[in-house]
Structures are given as C-alpha cells and as structure tokens.
Amino acid sequence: MQWPLFLGYAAIVWLIFVKFRLIRLSLPIAIVLAAAGPLLFIYILWAMNFYHPGSSDVQVLRRVVQIAPRTSKPGRVAEVVVAPNNPMKKGSVLFTIDPKPFQFEVERLKASLAASQQGVSELKAALDQAIAARQRAQAQTALAQQSYDREAQLLSRNVVAQATVDTAKRDLDAATQGEVGARAAEEAARLRFTSNVGGENTTVAQTRQQLEAAENDVAETKVVAPCDGFVSNVNILPGQIVSPGSAVMPFVCDVAESSRGRVVATFPEGSFLGVSAGDAAEVIFPMYPGLVFTAKVVDTVDITNGGQIPVGGVIAALTSSTSPPPRFAAVLQLDDANLRLPAGVRGEAAVYTDRVPFAGTFRKGVLRTSSILNYLAWGT
C-alpha cells in the first residue's frame, strides 16, 4: 500500500505550483519533477522494503488441542459434561465413556492374577516333586550300579552265569536313562518356577501388566481438559461410539502468561532479511481502526514447509515449484500484552531498524494511513 506516497507527492506539487503558485512551473522544472520524483520514490520504497519491512499478514494464533479418547478399544459416550465456550480448568471432566465393559475386563484380570499367583505355589510344588523324583532315580541308578558291579565280580569267579550279568547291565542302563529323564524334568520345573521379571514370576508379571492396562482404561473413561481453556463446539452426544485416538472435539487453551500479547507476522523473502530479534515494530488491526500498537521482534522462524526434506525411502525430488513465493514468520511481542485480540484476527505490521531513518518515517506514515482507512471497513 504505497499509493499514499504518490498522492502526497502529487499534493505537494499541486500546492506549490498550482494552488499557491509559489514557484513558476517551467519546462526544466517539470522535467526535474518528472525525473526526480520517481527516482526518489524508488529509493524510498527500496529502503522501506529492506530496512523497514512491512507485513500485510499479521495473525493472532492460539494453541488448540484435539481431544481424543485414550482407551484401548472403542466405547460408548455415557455423559457429555462440557458446554460450548464455557471456561474450564485443567483436569475438569469433558465427557465420560461407559466404564462397564472396561470394568468387566478389570475383574476378569484380577481373577486371572489370583490364579497365576496360586500357580506359583503349584510350580514350587512341581519343582519339589521333580527334585524328589530325580533323587529316587539317582538312588536307583546307584543301586543298579552296585548290583552290576557285584554280578560282574561273581562272573569273574565263575559263580554266576553271563545272563545274570547281562540282566544287571540292562537294569543299570534303564536306571541311568530314568535318572537322565528325571534330571530333565527337574530342570524344566526349575525353569518354570524361576522364570522371573523384576523378582516376579513372568506369568504373574504379564497378568499384572494387563490388569494395570485395564485399570488405566477405566481411568481414561473420564476424558478431562488438558489445560485451562474452553471447547469452541461440542459435536458428540450420549450414546455415540468413540474410537481411541480419533479426535472428537477441539479444546482451545488459554494464552499462557509468557505468550500473552504475541502475534505472528509473515514477510516476503527479500523483506525478511531486514527483520531481526530486538527490532522495534508497530502493528495495526482492523478491529482497532486509527490505532497503532508498538511492539518488538522477539523471534524469527527461518524455515517454511517448503524448506523441509520429506522422510522416505527414495531420493527427494528437488524440482521447481509453481506455488506462490514463500513468506517467513517473525514473532512480535506487543507492549500492551493485555490487548484483547481474539484468535484469528488479522492485521498489518512494520519493523524498523536504525538504517535510513527517514524511510522509516515514510513507513510509519503508510502504516498510519492504513489504520485510518480501517474506519471505512469498520463494522462491515
């Protein structure tokens, strides 16, 4: 919106040479005016854009949290507590999901946990039984070994026949195999009994974890506000089925004290080079016609969505784009942090540096002209 400069220049020329006729308009003077005026305007515009950049896109943004159930399976809405646009505190209940199906699962897992804890005692008894069986098999092997040694000694004296020794040998082999089987059974029983996670039997630990997850589901049937704020619109009704992870309402968080009075202004590529943190700024809003609010640049965002490389298994395609030139954002802090600015309000801004100060004066004039013209659209 640079036309006020041209109108001002034309008004000055008209007043001097036509209205008051302070200077006689001659051909050389006309040539100078025709040449010097545009050159001066070009220089002023260049200095304004690079040293005192302006933005026609100032936005007031708010943090919005999508509210979604966190239960492990779908549930039926039992009650909707929240009302549209009513202020709510963090932790206040927004709506509830019927907890009965989830409570049934909790009760089932409690019984399963008790059974698995009882099973630990059974595993201990099974281990003791396997140890006793192994000891019996070990004693039988020792007895069979003694019998075989005795029969082999009698055979060397020709007291017993070879068949008696062979029988003793078969008994020894059978006893040895029985002992091996008993040891394997004991080891299996020991592994089942000593299979622990954090000092607790794995079956018990697994069931306990499932129980905790089910109890968490019961707790999550009460969906609460994530922060202080309000719900702009409520679109769910009792009886509606809601799925986990699917957003059902937007929750608008109140502005934090550290973010109060902050707006975002976007600048074209060339103008953005003149914006730095700490620079003075001014902002106008159509909802406040005729007013100019002082501010300061507190941060700049040196990236847009077009500057990211997408993650994927193929090489990124860096091709020319026909989309509009990107605009880069700067965060401005208004000096009046308590100024009422509803989310979504748009405005204009200008950032001022120490270079070419007279161009900054022209930028202030342009901004104030725009603010005054907001009266024309005020209330429409």
Side-chain angles (χ1 to χ4, degrees), residues 106-119:
V106 169
E107 298 302 326
R108 185 188 69 82
L109 289 171
K110 283 183 178 180
S112 180
L113 178 61
S116 60
Q117 290 173 335
Q118 180 65 30

Side-chain angles (χ1 to χ4, degrees), residues 75-283:
R76 186 182 302 274
V77 176
E79 181 184 9
V80 179
V81 181
V82 63
N85 300 317
N86 277 5
M88 303 193 72
K89 292 295 184 179
K90 179 179 180 180
S92 300
V93 177
L94 301 176
F95 65 93
T96 61
I97 300 173
D98 186 5
K100 290 182 180 179
F102 304 98
Q103 190 62 48
F104 292 155
E105 182 67 9
V106 169
E107 298 302 326
R108 185 188 69 82
L109 289 171
K110 283 183 178 180
S112 180
L113 178 61
S116 60
Q117 290 173 335
Q118 180 65 30
V120 175
S121 300
E122 295 177 356
L123 291 176
K124 179 61 170 64
L127 175 59
D128 294 340
Q129 185 178 3
I131 292 174
R134 186 264 304 165
Q135 292 174 345
R136 287 195 301 271
Q138 189 175 2
Q140 291 174 356
T141 301
L143 183 60
Q145 182 67 50
Q146 293 175 0
S147 178
Y148 172 74
D149 293 341
R150 184 177 61 255
E151 296 299 337
Q153 185 178 9
L154 293 176
L155 177 62
S156 64
R157 299 177 183 176
N158 295 323
V159 176
V160 296
Q162 181 64 41
T164 303
V165 176
D166 293 340
T167 300
K169 182 64 169 67
R170 286 193 297 271
D171 293 341
L172 175 60
D173 292 341
T176 301
Q177 293 175 359
E179 182 182 354
V180 171
R183 290 183 182 275
E186 178 189 0
E187 183 63 22
R190 190 183 306 278
L191 290 175
R192 286 193 294 270
F193 177 70
T194 59
S195 177
N196 295 330
V197 174
E200 189 174 40
N201 180 266
T202 52
T203 303
V204 176
Q206 183 178 13
T207 307
R208 190 184 302 279
Q209 185 181 31
Q210 293 174 350
L211 176 59
E212 291 176 355
E215 290 174 340
N216 181 72
D217 276 346
V218 174
E220 291 294 344
T221 57
K222 291 185 177 180
V223 182
V224 300
C227 53
D228 295 348
F230 63 94
V231 177
S232 59
N233 59 313
V234 180
N235 294 324
I236 61 173
L237 296 172
Q240 180 177 342
I241 302 297
V242 291
S243 299
S246 297
V248 295
M249 65 175 62
F251 192 90
V252 183
C253 292
D254 288 342
V255 179
E257 288 298 327
S258 58
S259 300
R260 193 173 297 277
R262 289 196 175 185
V263 298
V264 176
T266 64
F267 297 85
E269 296 178 74
S271 299
F272 186 70
L273 293 176
V275 180
S276 301
D279 289 342
E282 290 181 333
V283 186

Side-chain angles (χ1 to χ4, degrees), residues 320-332:
S320 60
S321 174
T322 57
S323 59
R327 297 178 68 88
F328 293 86
V331 181
L332 309 182

